[in-house]
Amino acid sequence: MSRTYKRWYDHDPLLMQVIELLKSYPNELRVQAEYFLKKVEEQVSKEALDRFYEMVKPKILGNRWYDSDPLLSKTVELLRVVPQDIQKMAANNFITALKESGVIIEKNA
């Protein structure tokens, strides 16, 4: 029997961590969200990314914590709709960048 998840990101602990970080520190992490979008644009073009976002974004914005910020909204929505392997890769890259910039401090095991 397959597991069912309440939220789209519950299947991956690292992805859950990224979403919780974005939710907790939206202003501080905007730079990382912008970097993520620029990396995607390098792969597919800004126009293609914008068209794709227009197709996947909800018709009514305003109910979710990230709807008030267009950059975060675009980042989270794109992360939501990409395949799980891309989600995992993006989450890993995001966490690595946060560690390298000192936003996340690794705990000694």
Side-chain angles (χ1 to χ4, degrees), residues 10 25 27 29-30 42 62 76 83:
D10 285 344
Y25 305 101
N27 295 330
L29 299 181
R30 285 186 94 253
E42 289 173 8
V76 173

Side-chain angles (χ1 to χ4, degrees), residues 3 5-6 13 15 21 23-24 35 45 62 65 67 78 91 98:
R3 288 187 66 178
Y5 299 101
K6 183 176 180 182
L15 192 56
L21 285 167
K23 187 176 184 177
S24 300
Y35 179 75
S45 87
W65 61 268
D67 284 342
L78 290 172
L98 293 177

Side-chain angles (χ1 to χ4, degrees), residues 59-85:
K59 301 292 182 218
I60 299 172
L61 297 176
N63 294 330
R64 298 160 308 177
W65 61 268
Y66 52 85
D67 284 342
S68 61
D69 185 319
L71 180 70
L72 290 178
S73 179
K74 190 173 193 177
T75 300
V76 173
E77 281 302 311
L78 290 172
L79 195 54
R80 178 181 67 83
V81 298
V82 296
Q84 286 186 359
D85 59 326

Side-chain angles (χ1 to χ4, degrees), residues 9-96:
Y9 51 86
D10 285 344
H11 67 90
D12 185 327
L14 195 57
L15 192 56
M16 287 173 51
Q17 183 181 6
V18 167
I19 297 299
E20 289 304 316
L21 285 167
L22 283 169
K23 187 176 184 177
S24 300
Y25 305 101
N27 295 330
E28 295 87 341
L29 299 181
R30 285 186 94 253
V31 171
Q32 294 303 325
E34 190 171 25
Y35 179 75
F36 167 74
L37 291 177
K38 287 200 183 303
K39 285 297 202 183
V40 175
E41 286 174 4
E42 289 173 8
Q43 301 296 312
V44 298
S45 87
K46 181 175 179 4
E47 293 77 23
L49 183 64
D50 289 344
R51 278 195 314 270
F52 184 70
Y53 175 63
E54 286 302 314
M55 291 184 335
V56 300
K57 77 176 184 180
K59 301 292 182 218
I60 299 172
L61 297 176
N63 294 330
R64 298 160 308 177
W65 61 268
Y66 52 85
D67 284 342
S68 61
D69 185 319
L71 180 70
L72 290 178
S73 179
K74 190 173 193 177
T75 300
V76 173
E77 281 302 311
L78 290 172
L79 195 54
R80 178 181 67 83
V81 298
V82 296
Q84 286 186 359
D85 59 326
I86 303 297
Q87 287 176 341
K88 187 162 192 70
M89 183 178 63
N92 276 318
N93 291 341
F94 194 84
I95 295 295
T96 299

